[in-house]
Amino acid sequence: MARPERKPHAHNLNAPPITFRFDERLLAAGVLTNAQLELARREQKRKGGSMGQTLVQLGLLSGEVLSDFLAKEAEAETISLKRVDIDPALLQLVPADMARRFRAMPVSRANHTLTVALADPFNVVAIDALHQITGLTIKVVTSPERDILNCLELHYRSGDTIEESIDKILEEKAEEAALSLEEVLTQAGDTDEDAPVIRLVSQIITAAVNSGASDIHFEPAEQLMRIRTRVDGVLYQDALIPKAMQSAVTTRMKIVAELDVAETRVPQDGRATVAVGGRQVNLRVSSLPTAFGENVVARILDPTMQMVTVSSLGFAPEVEQSFRSAVSEPYGVVLVTGPTGSGKSTTLYSVLREVSTMEVSTFTLEDPIEYRMTLVRQVQIKEEIGLTFSAGLRALLRQDPDIILVGETRDTETAQLMVRAALTGHLVFSTLHTNDAAGAIPRLIDMGVEPYLLPSSLVAVLAQRLVRSICEKCREPLEHPEKVFDDLKLPPPPGIPMQLWRGAGCSKCKRSGYRGRRGIFELMMIDERFHDPIVKRAGAPEYLRLARAGGMQTMFEDGLLKAMQGITTIEELLRSTRL
């Protein structure tokens, strides 16, 4: 059978020559400076690898920027693999080793055309090889390399399931009855990736990361150990570990986090870095003695999950415009408030990504540093040696900063220093634990900030919560939405069609009807109307009245609009705003 002639993929016809120097095009486009390009060339010559990989590793470009640039040069489409459902039948067309070698993920098939996501759309060797092995016309789309690696890890996952690994460990225990599981684990060694317990823990972590979980809970019970993961703010049971394996699994997690394995009587905290899908994922691990053994919780800090922009946070257009205006001020304090887990750090990281440029000096004080950022000097708070937020802030003010992020305002001295820094020409971002925007001003005054300093220093207060989004795959309209408003005694928002939505539940959302989360916000902009009430130490209701008179929507009203738009549900809104 004659080999079919390869047809050009959609963007080939007018694309520049494959030999183009895309690093020079990045320079011409203003994405890179001469100094950055020379640094990248020296680093590539020293370490090898592609120029794109080098630029991303050095932090000079994000994966998204590189992917978008390559897509424009190749006249190809950019897709988000996180939003694409992969048909398992496609995996049979492209062998796993080839997919990993070429960083290629089959996305869809239409008749005789196979759409493949490539990290490098100009890799003609990969395109020809894919064409030869599939016999199909290859249409190339692009996606960041780390997203492709993550997708490959998820869909081409080989080896045993978690349940099969558990069975193997139990069989091994039966064969080696004379040894305890801890001894077996010790004999296997920390680097023996084939050891069953090591592989089991790795599978649990990988599955949690790939599902978008924020935490993994290893929970000892009387008869077993329960593994639960927190996805979109809700805990789901993932696996049940036999009691005989509990100690070995706990020991392995403590080894990963470099905790004291022999100490089981006191709480411990540690950190770990693991490889998942070809990228580094950080874990914050905490152990706590309980009645049935040590409870271990691992917080997942996946840098790829944090790369969001201000535009993607979910602001209403007018709120986004006002917020951008606030964070673009040359000096002042911008606060983000809300309870733990409400997305405050995500919002502030997205702001720093946009305002931290070569023209300004940016520092952060964090406890802990969750995500590394380019062009930002990040300081880890260490209270045990005296490096507190207030001590760090005093030191930072001698480092000629333009922008300062204080991870949390938790004491009087920090609050006072933050306000004085703003008054001396610095732009300061921080978080505060209050339930709404109006409560931030009384909270600062209670912490010891002089009221007369606030009107001149405080620019804006953003309060927020996270609500689960309705799963796009199983979303359906809700019948009789007017009955829901009647039952809750809520007036529907004016000027919007009466419509509510729900998630029916499917395999993609674990039958929950929800997938992903979005923010709901209220933004209080401080202007001259607030001066006298602040100086007179008015209560939060007065600030709320002034903000409402200035056009502020409350978080509940913002969430209600999102519910009417099919983004979330009334039930989820009530759950989040009543926390």
Side-chain angles (χ1 to χ4, degrees):
M1 179 177 177
R3 195 181 93 182
E5 180 182 357
R6 182 170 69 88
K7 299 177 182 178
H9 40 91
H11 65 285
N12 251 8
L13 296 177
N14 299 311
I18 299 303
T19 56
F20 84 118
R21 293 295 300 271
F22 87 91
D23 52 350
E24 294 180 356
R25 291 178 178 269
L26 286 168
L27 180 63
V31 179
L32 289 179
T33 65
N34 277 305
Q36 291 172 330
L37 180 56
E38 288 305 316
L39 171 63
R41 286 174 174 170
R42 291 197 302 271
E43 193 71 8
Q44 182 192 24
K45 185 177 180 180
R46 187 170 68 88
K47 290 186 175 181
S50 70
M51 177 58 74
Q53 290 174 330
T54 303
L55 290 169
V56 173
Q57 289 168 0
L58 289 173
L60 301 177
L61 285 182
S62 68
E64 291 87 355
V65 169
L66 179 61
S67 179
D68 289 344
F69 181 83
L70 288 172
K72 289 177 182 176
E73 291 292 324
E75 299 180 15
E77 177 188 357
T78 301
I79 66 168
S80 172
L81 289 175
K82 298 174 184 177
R83 300 181 178 275
V84 175
D85 291 323
I86 307 297
D87 185 350
L90 297 176
L91 307 181
Q92 307 301 318
L93 298 174
V94 181
D97 58 343
M98 175 180 285
R100 291 190 175 96
R101 183 167 73 253
F102 292 131
R103 305 290 196 264
M105 185 68 212
V107 174
S108 63
R109 178 180 178 178
N111 299 322
H112 295 290
T113 299
L114 178 67
T115 299
V116 179
L118 286 176
D120 179 5
F122 290 104
N123 190 340
V124 289
V125 174
I127 297 170
D128 285 336
L130 290 167
H131 170 68
Q132 290 179 22
I133 200 165
T134 64
L136 301 172
T137 300
I138 304 300
K139 177 185 176 182
V140 174
V141 295
T142 67
S143 192
E145 182 174 344
R146 66 164 180 270
D147 289 354
I148 292 177
L149 289 171
N150 187 36
C151 206
L152 292 173
E153 176 81 14
L154 179 63
H155 293 284
Y156 281 98
R157 194 163 44 202
S158 59
D160 300 330
T161 64
I162 291 177
E163 289 73 19
E164 290 170 339
S165 293
I166 292 172
D167 292 340
K168 284 188 177 181
I169 295 174
L170 293 177
E171 291 171 5
E172 183 175 294
K173 179 176 173 62
E175 293 172 0
E176 302 182 25
L179 296 176
S180 70
L181 280 178
E182 288 82 353
E183 292 172 317
V184 173
L185 180 64
T186 303
Q187 289 182 359
D190 186 49
T191 59
D192 185 1
E193 295 300 331
D194 292 327
V197 172
I198 295 176
R199 189 168 60 250
L200 170 63
V201 171
S202 178
Q203 287 174 310
I204 292 171
I205 294 173
T206 298
V209 172
N210 288 333
S211 68
S214 61
D215 301 86
I216 312 172
H217 291 239
F218 297 80
E219 302 173 342
E222 186 173 6
Q223 302 296 332
L224 49 81
M225 170 181 270
R226 183 180 297 106
I227 308 296
R228 294 198 293 171
T229 55
R230 187 178 298 278
V231 180
D232 297 334
V234 177
L235 283 169
Y236 295 90
Q237 181 171 297
D238 271 6
L240 296 175
I241 306 293
K243 191 69 175 179
M245 295 171 54
Q246 173 181 310
S247 182
V249 171
T250 301
T251 298
R252 176 57 190 168
M253 281 302 300
K254 293 175 74 173
I255 289 174
V256 168
E258 298 182 354
L259 303 180
D260 185 351
V261 176
E263 181 57 78
T264 60
R265 300 165 300 170
V266 297
Q268 297 186 65
D269 292 292
R271 298 178 72 91
T273 301
V274 296
V276 176
R279 69 191 191 280
Q280 298 298 309
V281 173
N282 297 320
L283 304 177
R284 272 171 36 206
V285 181
S286 170
S287 69
L288 178 71
T290 68
F292 298 115
E294 287 184 279
N295 191 85
V296 177
V297 176
R299 166 65 58 89
I300 299 171
L301 305 173
D302 185 356
T304 66
M305 301 297 291
Q306 192 69 20
M307 296 302 177
V308 298
T309 63
V310 172
S311 298
S312 64
L313 291 174
F315 288 118
E318 61 278 6
V319 176
E320 180 180 341
Q321 183 179 355
S322 297
F323 186 61
R324 286 185 180 278
S325 173
V327 301
S328 299
E329 291 288 334
Y331 60 88
V333 176
V334 177
L335 293 175
V336 180
T337 75
T340 300
S342 59
K344 300 187 296 296
S345 295
T346 299
T347 297
L348 288 176
Y349 274 114
S350 68
V351 170
L352 284 187
R353 287 187 68 205
E354 296 195 8
V355 301
S356 299
T357 64
M358 293 295 292
E359 289 74 34
V360 296
S361 175
T362 305
F363 289 86
T364 70
L365 294 168
E366 302 177 64
D367 186 22
I369 297 173
E370 296 188 358
Y371 302 97
R372 308 293 179 179
M373 301 187 70
T374 58
L375 294 179
V376 178
R377 271 64 54 81
Q378 297 172 270
V379 179
Q380 170 65 55
I381 296 301
K382 296 179 181 178
E383 294 189 352
E384 65 274 12
I385 63 172
L387 182 52
T388 61
F389 279 106
S390 56
L393 186 51
R394 280 197 305 270
L396 282 191
L397 293 176
R398 296 190 290 271
Q399 292 283 314
D400 187 30
D402 295 298
I403 300 172
I404 301 172
L405 167 63
V406 180
E408 183 180 346
T409 303
R410 59 171 70 156
D411 58 66
T412 297
E413 189 175 5
T414 303
Q416 292 173 338
L417 284 169
M418 178 179 69
V419 170
R420 293 190 181 278
L423 291 172
T424 54
H426 303 89
L427 180 58
V428 183
F429 302 120
S430 189
T431 67
L432 200 62
H433 287 285
T434 61
N435 290 327
D436 54 19
I441 296 176
R443 175 68 176 141
L444 288 173
I445 294 175
D446 289 344
M447 293 177 74
V449 177
E450 292 293 341
Y452 68 87
L453 297 176
L454 282 176
S456 301
S457 60
L458 190 58
V459 176
V461 181
L462 178 74
Q464 66 179 70
R465 297 288 190 280
L466 292 177
V467 294
R468 289 182 292 171
S469 301
I470 299 174
C471 175
E472 294 181 359
K473 294 299 177 183
C474 60
R475 187 180 70 170
E476 61 183 23
L478 193 66
E479 295 183 2
H480 308 299
E482 65 282 352
K483 186 176 184 301
V484 176
F485 284 99
D486 290 341
D487 292 343
L488 296 173
K489 296 180 172 57
L490 289 174
I496 299 179
M498 177 74 72
Q499 182 63 71
L500 293 173
W501 306 78
R502 65 183 290 269
C506 64
S507 59
K508 295 297 179 183
C509 60
K510 296 186 176 183
R511 304 295 169 186
S512 68
Y514 298 98
R515 192 179 183 190
R517 287 191 290 180
R518 293 286 292 274
I520 56 174
F521 306 93
E522 62 183 34
L523 178 64
M524 185 173 72
M525 300 292 292
I526 309 300
D527 55 35
E528 64 278 357
R529 297 176 301 126
F530 286 77
H531 182 278
D532 289 346
I534 291 176
V535 172
K536 294 176 182 177
R537 299 175 181 261
E542 176 63 13
Y543 305 126
L544 177 60
R545 184 190 68 79
L546 289 171
R548 297 280 285 159
M552 183 187 82
Q553 284 188 326
T554 65
M555 279 185 292
F556 186 83
E557 290 170 336
D558 185 36
L560 197 57
L561 287 173
K562 287 181 168 66
M564 301 287 284
Q565 294 165 356
I567 295 173
T568 189
T569 63
I570 293 286
E571 293 78 10
E572 176 64 11
L573 173 61
L574 292 173
R575 183 190 71 85
S576 298
T577 53
R578 289 178 178 176
L579 290 178

